[in-house]
């Protein structure tokens, strides 16, 4: 068995009023990827902040190579070879990539900054990782994915035996994700141990050696990744049986609501064709950046269409305007609730009725029909199980789960023929999740067509009657009924040849 690098014994962290981490026994061996898996608030970030010296424990012990260690800051941890890439980046936006990569260790010649050496060092660091980034560019000019890569390169500066990555692929496209996985493989081969936080099943299946599941600050169990199904992990994480989370949705496919033929878009989608019928849930799966969001952005009129056709309820609607599609019965829920979906300063009620202001709520003489708005928003809140008191509060003050319910509520004020939900449950707790799945069930069984676009593999597998999988802008395959399963879908995600057995 490979050497034990890092170990915690009874590690705990208490904040006023909350035990964020309780009696945690964890170990990391050389050359392994050890995934931390758990819902929001389970204690994952707390654990890694203790391992990385960003935080001090209130109980227990950390051992490195069998010796007890105490870190009062991240530099202490670095000296022991532990380096962490957190979700909040540590780069200085106004400085160049090269300057950031040498921060605090700038090369000097004759007492002056050696700019040539600085750039050369950065170039070597990035090339070594296979990242193609201009070292002259200011960090503020990089995409989030590029910043992530620079952050990783910075994390690997010097001698590193333990690398901690907190949801590193959250902002990466699938090509960039592939690159990160290749890097992880190389680091493993060098004997680096990697602590990896992720809730994406496809990543875990691909790179994890062991998985520690956390719930409410405690360790539930540590398991080998091989032979552990996604369903088992979900059950351990949530403490609920799969059947309690994902409802059975009856399928009764009827009339075709949406037909897309050979659609291409400047946004990267190529030659995509699909059909969606009333009375069925159609899943759209794939890695982040595979084009699944982009496909519906083009269908819904948010991005341009360069080729192909869209038929909605039998009518040609290629490149149609959002407002027209909305009025004709296509409800679309965007993936980014803060950026696109919600006005944070408005109350939930105002957000829910917003799409109606220029339609059903416009009374004679241009007056707003306030009473109708109240009635419709109250009914919508009931359908999504949003508590009445949350209707009058600004959405900025609501939890992520309740914000998502408000977004769903926007689609519940009138009957649509097609509901498209892009990442419907990202970042919400398991209670909200099952409430939202119930909404989807009722819509589908009530005769609407539902599309679920999701990077959450179990969600797609359990809810969908049919699944399209996208890869690099194209539809890589379609699965139906019993053929829908983890392995066939994952194979389409990565292209079968690239996947580990
Ligand atoms: N700085 C802090 N102050 C108070 N409570 C915190 C702090 N950081 C985390 N917590 C609490 O500790 C618990 C675990 O949080 P966290 O480790 O961030 O979970 P995860 O990363 O798994 O989502 C949560 O209840 C969270 O609210
Ligand atoms: Mg966290």
């Amino acid at each position: 068995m490979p050497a034990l690098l890092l170990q915690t014994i009874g590690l705990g962290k208490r904040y006023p009023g909350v035990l964020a981490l309780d009696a945690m026994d964890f170990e990391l061996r050389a050359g392994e990827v050890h995934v931390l898996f758990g819902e929001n608030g389970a204690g994952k970030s707390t654990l890694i902040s203790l391992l990385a010296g960003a935080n001090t424990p209130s109980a227990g012990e950390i051992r490195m190579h069998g010796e007890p260690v105490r870190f009062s800051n991240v530099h202490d941890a670095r000296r022991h070879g532990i380096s962490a890439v957190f979700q909040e980046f540590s780069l200085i936006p106004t400085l160049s990539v090269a300057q950031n990569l040498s921060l605090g260790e700038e090369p000097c010649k004759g007492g002056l900054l050696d700019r040539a050496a600085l750039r050369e060092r950065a170039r070597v660091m990035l090339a070594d990782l296979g990242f193609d980034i201009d070292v002259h560019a200011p960090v503020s000019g990089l995409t989030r994915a590029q910043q992530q890569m620079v952050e990783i390169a910075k994390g690997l500066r010097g001698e590193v035996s333990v690398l901690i990555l907190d949801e590193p692929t959250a902002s990466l496209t699938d090509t960039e994700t592939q690159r990160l996985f290749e890097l992880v493989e190389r680091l493993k081969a060098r004997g680096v141990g990697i602590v990896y936080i992720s809730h994406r099943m496809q990543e875990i299946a691909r790179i994890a050696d062991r998985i520690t599941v956390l719930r409410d600050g405690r360790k539930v169990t540590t398991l080998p990744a091989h032979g552990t199904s996604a369903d088992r992990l979900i059950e351990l994480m949530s403490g609920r049986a799969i059947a309690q989370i994902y409802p059975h949705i009856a399928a009764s496919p009827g009339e075709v609501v949406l037909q897309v033929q050979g659609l291409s878009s400047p946004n990267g989608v190529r030659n995509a064709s699909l059909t969606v019928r009333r009375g069925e849930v159609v899943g759209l799966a794939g890695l982040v950046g595979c084009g699944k969001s982009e496909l519906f952005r083009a269908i819904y009129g948010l991005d341009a269409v360069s080729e192909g056709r869209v038929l909605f309820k039998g009518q040609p609607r290629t490149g149609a305007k959002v407002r027209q599609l909305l009025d004709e019965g296509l409800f679309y829920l965007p993936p980014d609730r803060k950026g696109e979906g919600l006005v944070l300063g408005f109350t939930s009620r105002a957000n829910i009725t917003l799409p109606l202001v220029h339609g059903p709520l416009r009374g004679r003489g241009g007056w707003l029909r306030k009473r109708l708005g109240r009635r419709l928003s109250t009914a919508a809140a009931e359908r999504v199980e949003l508590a009445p008191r949350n209707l009058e509060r600004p959405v900025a003050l609501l939890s992520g789960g309740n914000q998502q319910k408000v977004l769903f509520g926007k689609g519940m004020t009138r009957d649509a023929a097609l509901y498209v939900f892009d990442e419907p449950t990202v970042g919400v707790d398991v209670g909200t999740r099952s409430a939202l799945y119930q909404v989807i069930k009722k819509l589908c069984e009530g005769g609407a067509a539902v599309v679920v676009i999701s990077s959450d593999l179990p969600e797609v597998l359990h809810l969908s009657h049919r699944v399209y999988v996208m890869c690099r802008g194209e539809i890589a395959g379609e699965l139906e009924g019993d053929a829908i399963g983890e392995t066939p879908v994952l194979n389409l995600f990565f292209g079968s040849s690239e996947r580990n057995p």
Side-chain angles (χ1 to χ4, degrees):
M1 207 186 279
L4 194 55
L5 288 176
L6 179 68
Q7 196 180 9
T8 74
I9 297 156
L11 197 67
K13 178 68 190 178
R14 181 180 293 280
Y15 291 110
V18 49
L19 193 53
L21 195 71
D22 186 15
M24 175 60 60
D25 295 334
F26 172 81
E27 58 167 53
L28 180 72
R29 293 185 177 273
E32 83 163 327
V33 173
H34 197 141
V35 164
L36 299 179
F37 188 74
E39 289 200 56
N40 288 336
K44 308 178 295 293
S45 295
T46 301
L47 174 57
I48 64 168
S49 72
L50 298 176
L51 297 178
N55 222 326
T56 48
S58 40
E61 185 172 276
I62 302 174
R63 290 186 190 165
M64 193 66 191
H65 302 295
E67 297 294 321
V69 284
R70 269 172 202 279
F71 307 138
S72 27
N73 54 50
V74 292
H75 302 291
D76 281 352
R78 278 304 305 241
R79 272 194 290 278
H80 283 86
I82 303 175
S83 176
V85 177
F86 295 108
Q87 280 174 297
E88 299 78 31
F89 291 166
S90 66
L91 303 175
I92 300 177
T94 50
L95 296 184
S96 71
V97 170
Q99 286 167 322
N100 267 284
L101 285 178
S102 282
L103 213 59
E105 296 175 9
E106 286 82 358
C108 290
K109 207 160 71 180
L112 292 171
L113 178 66
D114 184 349
R115 289 181 187 280
L118 184 86
R119 286 194 293 270
E120 184 51 27
R121 182 195 283 174
R123 237 178 254 124
V124 170
M125 284 167 81
L126 291 167
D128 189 32
L129 302 176
F131 295 157
D132 181 22
I133 294 167
D134 178 9
V135 300
H136 299 281
V139 160
S140 59
L142 302 182
T143 64
R144 197 168 155 84
Q146 290 171 322
Q147 292 184 17
Q148 172 83 72
M149 291 176 186
V150 176
E151 194 76 47
I152 291 171
K154 190 177 155 204
L156 286 169
R157 195 168 77 175
E159 281 296 307
V160 171
S161 54
V162 173
L163 180 68
I164 300 171
L165 298 170
D166 192 356
E167 300 204 36
T169 60
S171 57
L172 304 188
T173 65
D174 58 351
T175 321
E176 291 158 348
T177 299
Q178 296 286 355
R179 239 195 262 152
L180 178 72
F181 290 170
E182 287 158 19
L183 169 65
V184 164
E185 290 301 330
R186 272 182 277 141
L187 292 172
K188 281 178 66 167
R190 284 191 216 165
V192 175
I194 296 167
V195 181
Y196 192 102
I197 296 187
S198 175
H199 53 257
R200 294 199 172 131
M201 293 300 172
Q202 55 271 32
E203 290 183 13
I204 296 173
R206 172 122 179 184
I207 67 163
D209 296 301
R210 284 195 290 173
I211 304 161
T212 288
V213 182
L214 287 83
R215 193 197 315 146
D216 300 330
R218 289 166 166 271
K219 177 163 98 172
V220 177
T221 185
T222 297
L223 316 140
H226 187 78
T228 302
S229 71
D231 281 357
R232 183 75 195 119
L233 284 178
I234 299 279
E235 291 184 331
L236 290 168
M237 170 185 83
S238 64
R240 300 184 190 207
I242 282 292
Q244 289 177 287
I245 305 171
Y246 301 100
H248 173 76
I249 305 177
S252 51
E255 153 207 342
V256 171
V257 170
L258 179 71
Q259 188 156 20
V260 178
Q261 296 163 336
L263 185 116
S264 295
S265 164
N267 71 14
V269 171
R270 289 195 309 256
N271 193 27
S273 300
L274 57 80
T275 7
V276 183
R277 298 170 181 277
R278 282 187 178 275
E280 67 170 354
V281 179
V282 173
L284 195 56
L287 290 170
V288 172
C290 68
K292 59 190 191 304
S293 285
E294 287 76 9
L295 174 54
F296 272 85
R297 286 183 59 85
I299 292 168
Y300 193 58
L302 295 169
D303 288 344
V305 174
S306 49
E307 248 176 278
R309 297 210 302 159
V310 175
L311 295 169
F312 182 59
K313 297 203 278 193
Q315 302 300 312
R317 290 291 179 265
T318 317
K321 291 269 188 300
V322 170
R323 163 123 297 116
Q324 180 184 7
L325 289 168
L326 185 65
D327 287 341
E328 291 179 348
L330 198 173
F331 173 78
Y332 167 84
L333 178 99
D336 170 13
R337 56 181 168 253
K338 291 222 168 65
E340 298 181 59
L342 290 176
V343 184
L344 292 175
F346 284 17
T347 62
S348 304
R349 196 185 285 288
N351 271 282
I352 289 172
T353 50
L354 207 55
L356 307 178
V357 167
H358 296 284
L361 293 190
R362 178 122 306 224
R364 229 175 307 158
W367 291 97
L368 204 56
R369 302 173 65 190
K370 281 200 180 146
R371 204 166 328 150
L372 178 63
R374 284 192 70 80
R375 192 155 51 74
L376 290 175
S377 48
T378 302
E382 277 168 19
R383 288 176 74 180
V384 298
E385 295 179 23
L386 181 73
R389 68 190 148 81
N390 287 329
L391 257 178
E392 318 303 342
R393 301 176 70 196
V395 294
L397 301 182
L398 302 184
S399 69
N402 281 323
Q403 289 185 355
Q404 197 68 348
K405 286 182 176 177
V406 174
L407 272 179
F408 263 64
K410 287 173 76 172
M412 303 302 136
T413 53
R414 38 183 173 175
D415 288 328
L418 170 62
Y419 293 84
V420 179
F421 300 110
D422 195 345
E423 303 294 354
T425 61
V426 72
V428 311
D429 60 282
V430 70
T432 306
R433 216 174 239 273
S434 43
L436 297 176
Y437 295 154
Q438 285 298 332
V439 175
I440 290 175
K441 173 183 167 74
K442 282 179 201 150
L443 292 172
C444 173
E445 292 179 352
V450 179
V451 171
V452 174
I453 306 170
S454 179
S455 301
D456 181 335
L457 190 54
E459 173 170 281
V460 179
L461 297 180
H462 284 286
L463 297 180
S464 308
H465 302 118
R466 258 184 328 118
V467 174
Y468 293 98
V469 184
M470 291 192 70
C471 182
R472 306 209 168 97
E474 294 181 75
I475 293 189
E478 179 188 351
L479 299 163
E480 186 166 359
D482 290 342
I484 299 174
E486 212 171 310
T487 311
V489 172
L490 281 174
N491 285 341
L492 291 167
F493 267 41
F494 293 107
S496 321
S497 57
E498 289 179 45
R499 222 177 104 66
N500 299 327

